[in-house]
Amino acid sequence: MKFGIEFVPQQPLSEIVELVKLAEDVGFEYTWITDHYNNKNVYAALALIADATETIKLGPGVTNPYVRSPAISASAIATIDEISEGRATFGIGPGDKATFDALGIEWTKPVSTIRSAIADINTLLAGEKTEGGAALGGVKAVQEKIPIYMGAQGPKMLETAGEIADGVLINASNPKDYEAAMPMIKKGIENAGGSKDFDVGAYTATSIGADSDAAKNAARIVAAFIAAGSPAPVLERHGLPEGINEKIGACLGKGDFGGAIGLVDDAVLDAFSVCGTPDEFIPKIEGLAEMGVTQYVAGSPVGKDVKESIKLLGDVIASF
Ligand SMILES: C[C@H](OP(=O)(O)OC[C@@H](O)[C@@H](O)[C@@H](O)Cn1c2nc(=O)[nH]c(=O)c-2cc2ccc(O)cc21)C(=O)N[C@@H](CCC(=O)N[C@@H](CCC(=O)O)C(=O)O)C(=O)O
């Protein structure tokens, strides 16, 4: 099992750099930096991390093909690859509609848009020219091929990831989600001609701590947001009561976070997060591995005390 860790670049970047260095020291192989227009710039954060670390692989987790053209993204990730001396990875997903509405960007045909963006990025990173005539002159990646991961959850997106990407990052924390996702990913891999190395990343809502209840309580608000955004078939998959997403969403919508958290019982928590003590983590990660997960990504909140939680995750990593 590989291990990755997600950071959202909204706290001081110097703090994130220190946390990534600690993650590298305790054995994490990847760090993924989220990309939202209303957070700090993902590539500035990655450049600082690249310059301050030695071994951890790093990349956007995930950007999208709408806010930057493929050529700008290719140039940016090739630059990170140069600064990190060949450790760049590149995560790209379709983005979310709310973001594009706010930016006045038309969110059309996400599957085909991602497909053509990844094709252009691969062309440019290989030193070739796109159909439109773009070419990366002055910047060259260190790696022969920078691994491209797709952020995906929908069936067509998962199948496309299997077909054209080197890995996938799925925003889900429970083995049942991977049991459902794997057949679509495998279909995509078959479309691409059969077996290939493919990294299935479980991009989870993680909360680990020495005290189980405190760790679980730290995850409840994150699980509430995920539950509220989950469609009915996902609730059904996890055996959750019909309409719980709307009830939680209604509380969140009026800023009643206490009410939302009150609706997140252990069943909701288990469906949408991985939380507890290190001993409770190991069987949960093993359960994900049994469903085909090959990279466990510790996503927000990571724990009540992030530094302490990264060290505890180091103990978990050591047992795999
Ligand atoms: C578009 C959407 O795909 P999805 O995979 O469900 O997208 C949900 C999320 O993955 C997407 O919003 C991501 O960008 C969210 N996301 C992040 N989004 C961000 O904006 N920033 C982040 O940092 C971020 C991190 C992240 C990490 C992991 C992860 O899994 C997702 C993450 C969807 O509806 N897909 C469906 C329908 C696809 C579709 O729309 N098809 C077209 C036809 C086909 C075509 O497009 O040509 C159509 O019907 O018009 C499907 O896959 O079946």
Side-chain angles (χ1 to χ4, degrees):
M1 178 65 76
K2 295 186 277 274
F3 285 83
I5 186 164
E6 172 214 46
F7 289 103
V8 180
Q10 56 194 19
Q11 71 202 84
L13 295 183
S14 54
E15 287 176 14
I16 293 183
V17 169
E18 288 313 306
L19 290 171
V20 176
K21 282 165 68 178
L22 174 61
E24 180 178 68
D25 290 346
V26 303
F28 280 91
E29 267 183 271
Y30 290 81
T31 190
W32 299 98
I33 306 302
T34 61
D35 183 13
H36 294 93
Y37 78 95
N38 48 4
N39 287 153
K40 293 169 187 173
N41 181 276
V42 61
Y43 290 109
L46 286 165
L48 289 173
I49 294 166
D51 193 42
T53 54
E54 309 293 330
T55 59
I56 201 164
K57 297 181 184 80
L58 67 164
V62 296
T63 186
N64 67 75
Y66 296 90
V67 293
R68 293 183 197 87
S69 82
I72 304 294
S73 292
S75 163
I77 201 64
T79 306
I80 299 300
D81 204 41
E82 179 189 308
I83 302 170
S84 65
E85 295 173 335
R87 291 183 280 132
T89 57
F90 183 72
I92 184 168
D96 43 46
K97 193 168 175 336
T99 301
F100 301 123
D101 289 347
L103 297 178
I105 294 174
E106 216 197 328
W107 194 46
T108 51
K109 302 195 88 41
V111 174
S112 23
T113 304
I114 273 236
R115 189 182 277 279
S116 65
I118 288 177
D120 279 355
I121 290 166
N122 277 327
T123 299
L124 291 160
L125 290 174
E128 287 149 27
K129 205 177 261 193
T130 66
E131 268 172 42
L136 292 190
V139 59
K140 188 150 175 29
V142 172
Q143 294 177 84
E144 183 75 21
K145 165 93 173 58
I146 292 179
I148 293 188
Y149 285 69
M150 273 178 61
Q153 280 156 280
K156 284 184 197 154
M157 212 54 86
L158 288 166
E159 185 179 330
T160 305
E163 185 187 333
I164 66 173
D166 303 296
V168 68
L169 297 169
I170 306 177
N171 231 338
S173 303
N174 188 285
K176 289 188 185 129
D177 301 308
Y178 293 90
E179 191 176 26
M182 286 312 289
M184 298 160 207
I185 294 169
K186 285 185 180 149
K187 188 158 177 289
I189 292 174
E190 274 152 33
N191 298 346
S195 67
K196 67 172 177 179
D197 277 345
F198 191 81
D199 193 5
V200 178
Y203 213 91
T204 71
T206 287
S207 180
I208 190 169
D211 177 280
S212 183
D213 289 340
K216 287 176 180 169
N217 289 334
R220 287 192 200 279
I221 189 62
V222 174
F225 276 98
I226 299 171
S230 298
V234 171
L235 300 182
E236 212 175 305
R237 182 192 296 163
H238 293 288
L240 297 176
E242 198 184 326
I244 187 72
N245 51 351
E246 277 125 31
K247 283 195 191 121
I248 294 173
C251 289
L252 293 173
K254 55 182 190 237
D256 175 12
F257 295 129
I261 287 171
L263 290 167
V264 176
D265 61 15
D266 282 359
V268 175
L269 208 54
D270 197 42
F272 298 118
S273 69
V274 181
C275 43
T277 63
D279 286 348
E280 290 172 301
F281 254 70
I282 293 168
K284 292 181 180 186
I285 295 177
E286 285 167 343
L288 290 167
E290 276 159 33
M291 290 302 156
V293 170
T294 49
Q295 180 177 157
Y296 179 86
V297 180
S300 312
V302 181
K304 217 159 156 264
D305 174 333
V306 176
K307 255 194 195 147
E308 277 316 301
S309 298
I310 290 175
K311 290 177 192 159
L312 290 176
L313 284 166
D315 300 340
V316 172
I317 293 170
S319 63
F320 275 83

